[in-house]
Amino acid sequence: MKKRNFLKGVALAALTAAAPVAALAMDTVKVAYMKIPPLVSIKYAIDSGIMEAHDLNIELTVVNGGPELMTALASGSADIGQTAAGIALLARSKGLPIAVFGTGDTERQPDYNHNWLIGTEEAGTTDLKSLEGKTIGVVAKNSPATLAFMSHMVAAGADPSTVEFVALPFPQLPSALEVGNVDAVHVGEPFHGMIMSSDKINAVELANGLIHSDEGTEYALGAWFAQDKWLAENEDIAKRFLAAMEQSYRELVEDRSKVNAILMAEFGMPEGAANATPLPLKAKSFTTTIDQYEPLLEQMVLTGMIEEGKLDLNDAVRAVDYK
């Protein structure tokens, strides 16, 4: 009798010990992210344990550009990607079966801006019309950076087809402008501040905003996206992922020192530059809506980056309700 009770106790103890293991089982998600300052948000979500608290094990791969990110997504080496929303739309228009499921950031003129086009008095690029025939530095060709120049130039009556675009990493753009290797650049912070405070050139802001838009128009800048098949099979994971990212953003908003610490560690920024770098921390929700992408698509069609009729936003944008 005592033996039977002992065996029952052993069995019960084994079941009790196994329960926490099952509870700790997490879903592994492979995420590809460009090495740009908003990387802070997912780094914090991972390092602080927020992703783990949402039962997610994130395998993060940091890539240097949009094409590399899309290759990772198309090959299946990444489940989720994050980069400029325009890159996601462009890829979808070319037949890659990916869809946006969350909007990471938006831009609205004139009060919320992340993009600047900058020329110099020395290069004679002091307005958008003067860019014709010039060499312009962008982080990548056929990218949102080139869209920015084309959109603003078309609105100003200038011909963007006369421009030669040169691809350079963001950190190299200020020095390329200073030495005259390029006549204008597209940048965000902290590079905008570096250029405008340079004592080597007389910098001129030509335009701000990723696209030319009416005042008050809000449009998507950054997007979370995945292949159609992955989204269809993993909607619950996508919901938990966005919920974890929102929590990460809220905690970063409450403590700017956490943002600065990651910028200094990951990007080698001095504290002053880190503190001056804006991040998409104003987002109240990452739930995506089609109207956030309509102004972007309109300008991509207008500038010839996407052929008219090649993209249906109802296919390209699929909101995940994670609230």
Side-chain angles (χ1 to χ4, degrees):
M1 188 73 174
K2 288 183 180 179
K3 184 176 181 180
R4 284 198 298 271
N5 283 342
F6 173 76
L7 291 175
K8 286 180 181 179
V10 170
L12 181 60
L15 287 172
T16 303
V21 175
L24 290 174
M26 294 190 293
D27 292 300
T28 295
V29 184
K30 297 175 288 184
V31 178
Y33 206 128
M34 281 182 63
K35 193 172 179 65
I36 51 179
L39 178 69
V40 166
S41 56
I42 192 166
K43 282 291 293 178
Y44 179 75
I46 296 169
D47 296 344
S48 67
I50 291 174
M51 284 295 180
E52 185 176 354
H54 285 79
D55 295 327
L56 297 175
N57 172 44
I58 303 298
E59 295 181 357
L60 180 64
T61 299
V62 180
V63 300
N64 292 319
E68 186 180 348
L69 190 151
M70 288 303 172
T71 297
L73 209 65
S75 67
S77 60
D79 302 314
I80 293 174
Q82 204 282 0
T83 187
I87 294 177
L89 299 188
L90 186 62
R92 181 85 191 194
S93 74
K94 294 183 179 298
L96 187 62
I98 66 166
V100 171
F101 67 89
T103 298
D105 192 19
T106 60
E107 191 167 57
R108 181 179 62 246
Q109 300 303 323
D111 53 334
Y112 187 36
N113 176 60
H114 282 313
N115 297 270
W116 287 268
L117 309 184
I118 305 176
T120 69
E121 292 182 6
E122 291 76 9
T125 47
T126 56
D127 58 36
L128 292 164
K129 189 74 174 175
S130 66
L131 292 174
E132 291 182 338
K134 298 293 187 178
T135 300
I136 295 177
V138 293
V139 70
K141 296 181 180 179
N142 200 33
S143 69
T146 56
L147 170 65
F149 274 101
M150 292 191 293
S151 174
H152 286 290
M153 287 182 71
V154 168
D159 184 0
S161 69
T162 64
V163 167
E164 179 185 358
F165 288 108
V166 175
L168 294 168
F170 274 125
Q172 295 180 22
L173 289 170
S175 58
L177 189 63
E178 288 179 337
V179 301
N181 288 342
V182 296
D183 303 310
V185 295
H186 162 270
V187 291
E189 294 292 9
F191 310 109
H192 164 254
M194 292 167 58
I195 293 171
M196 297 309 296
S197 62
S198 172
D199 59 4
K200 298 178 181 178
I201 52 175
N202 293 297
V204 180
E205 289 185 356
L206 306 175
N208 57 46
L210 184 65
I211 58 174
H212 175 77
S213 64
D214 295 332
E215 185 173 319
T217 299
E218 189 165 357
Y219 49 87
L221 278 186
W224 297 102
F225 47 88
Q227 287 211 42
D228 294 345
K229 185 174 185 293
W230 187 91
L231 274 177
E233 296 174 352
N234 298 282
E235 185 175 350
D236 178 64
I237 292 177
K239 288 180 179 180
R240 282 184 279 134
F241 181 84
L242 290 180
M245 289 305 302
E246 183 176 306
Q247 182 180 341
S248 174
Y249 273 53
R250 285 200 306 266
E251 292 187 13
L252 290 171
V253 167
E254 292 173 359
D255 190 348
R256 176 71 201 200
S257 68
K258 294 177 179 178
V259 176
N260 293 351
I262 298 175
L263 286 173
M264 290 187 283
E266 294 293 324
F267 295 87
M269 289 185 186
E271 187 172 3
N275 197 51
T277 301
L279 293 176
L281 301 178
K282 296 183 179 180
K284 296 179 180 177
S285 168
F286 296 133
T287 300
T288 192
T289 60
I290 286 180
D291 65 292
Q292 294 172 329
Y293 295 81
E294 288 172 344
L296 201 57
L297 177 59
E298 179 184 314
Q299 288 298 308
M300 295 182 85
V301 170
L302 180 66
T303 57
M305 288 188 72
I306 292 180
E307 184 181 339
E308 188 168 7
K310 279 289 186 179
L311 182 67
D312 183 351
L313 287 178
N314 290 298
D315 292 330
V317 179
R318 302 179 192 179
V320 169
D321 184 9
Y322 66 97
K323 296 291 188 179

